Amino acid sequence: DLTSADELAKVEARLRDTERPVDLLVNNAGFGTTGRFAELPVEEEEREIKLNVLALTRLTGAAVPGMVTRKKGGVINVASIAAFQPTPGTATYGGTKAYVLSFTLALREELRRTGVKALVVCPGYTVTEFQSRANYKVNPLMSMASQTAEQVAASSLKALDRDTGFHVPGAQNKIVAGATHLLPRKLVVKVASLVSGQI
């Protein structure tokens, strides 16, 4: 449980172990909550931030210095297309993923010429247990663009190998991500709310 300080510290220690160096860190642990923020238990929102933001940051911080010393290695941080637009009904989740996007892109720039790669992956709807655990309603439009975890993982590893720094798996997801920069912010939020259907 990476929201536990003690258990997080164990993983950090493993990542810092110079006797067993880690060449690739994939920060994929995370969860989401659904509903109106004012009606959700704030303790669960805090736990979501601890896992999606704090644990990811600490584990990256534990792994990267050793990679830089060895002049090789890579970090894949998993965000979401939710990082591109505020989505009513999943406000905290989207906020955490926006952090992951910004943090990883900045980290990649800092790591230039060190031999260490950083990649942020922004998947769309991926078929996992995430949706059932978050009580997330999946509409038919999202299902049409769904991918398996294996598809996302395979394309992400290729993107890391090419050192793209940023990867949105799936053609339809690329269109959605790109459109968020073209539309007025107010409209983006309205459309995101309509498509997600969480409130």
Side-chain angles (χ1 to χ4, degrees):
D1 180 0
L2 295 176
T3 64
S4 159
D6 290 343
E7 293 187 35
L8 178 60
K10 290 177 187 175
V11 182
E12 288 179 89
R14 171 65 188 89
L15 290 170
R16 289 193 183 101
D17 187 350
T18 56
E19 299 298 313
R20 297 184 299 158
V22 172
D23 290 328
L24 175 63
L25 169 64
V26 181
N27 278 310
N28 184 51
F31 75 92
T33 52
T34 56
R36 296 177 185 274
F37 180 79
E39 298 168 2
L40 294 170
V42 73
E43 293 80 11
E44 191 68 357
E45 302 304 285
E46 180 182 3
R47 195 167 156 267
E48 186 176 352
I49 293 166
K50 279 183 178 177
L51 182 57
N52 296 7
V53 173
L54 182 61
L56 176 142
T57 305
R58 290 191 65 96
L59 294 180
T60 302
V64 165
M67 292 178 180
V68 170
T69 299
R70 296 188 300 274
K71 296 182 172 56
K72 68 174 186 174
V75 177
I76 297 177
N77 287 334
V78 180
S80 164
I81 58 170
F84 302 113
Q85 70 276 320
T87 306
T90 59
T92 300
Y93 179 77
T96 65
K97 295 306 181 178
Y99 170 86
V100 175
L101 174 62
S102 180
F103 170 74
T104 310
L105 290 175
L107 176 66
R108 178 179 183 255
E109 187 63 27
E110 293 178 10
L111 291 173
R112 280 188 185 279
R113 294 178 291 278
T114 65
V116 182
K117 300 173 184 176
L119 173 74
V120 60
V121 179
C122 299
Y125 173 43
T126 307
V127 183
T128 67
E129 70 279 4
F130 173 90
Q131 291 77 26
S132 59
R133 290 184 61 128
N135 198 27
Y136 195 91
K137 303 172 204 159
V138 179
N139 67 37
L141 189 64
M142 293 169 64
S143 294
M144 285 170 51
S146 69
Q147 292 186 293
T148 65
E150 290 77 13
Q151 288 172 316
V152 172
S155 67
S156 298
L157 289 170
K158 287 178 183 175
L160 181 71
D161 191 51
R162 296 193 308 270
D163 195 18
T164 62
F166 171 78
H167 178 55
V168 179
Q172 289 168 301
N173 295 323
K174 285 179 173 64
I175 292 169
V176 170
T180 59
H181 299 292
L182 303 174
L183 299 173
R185 180 61 56 185
K186 188 184 284 188
L187 183 58
V188 168
V189 176
K190 292 283 187 190
V191 171
S193 181
L194 186 66
V195 171
S196 79
Q198 301 308 310
I199 60 170

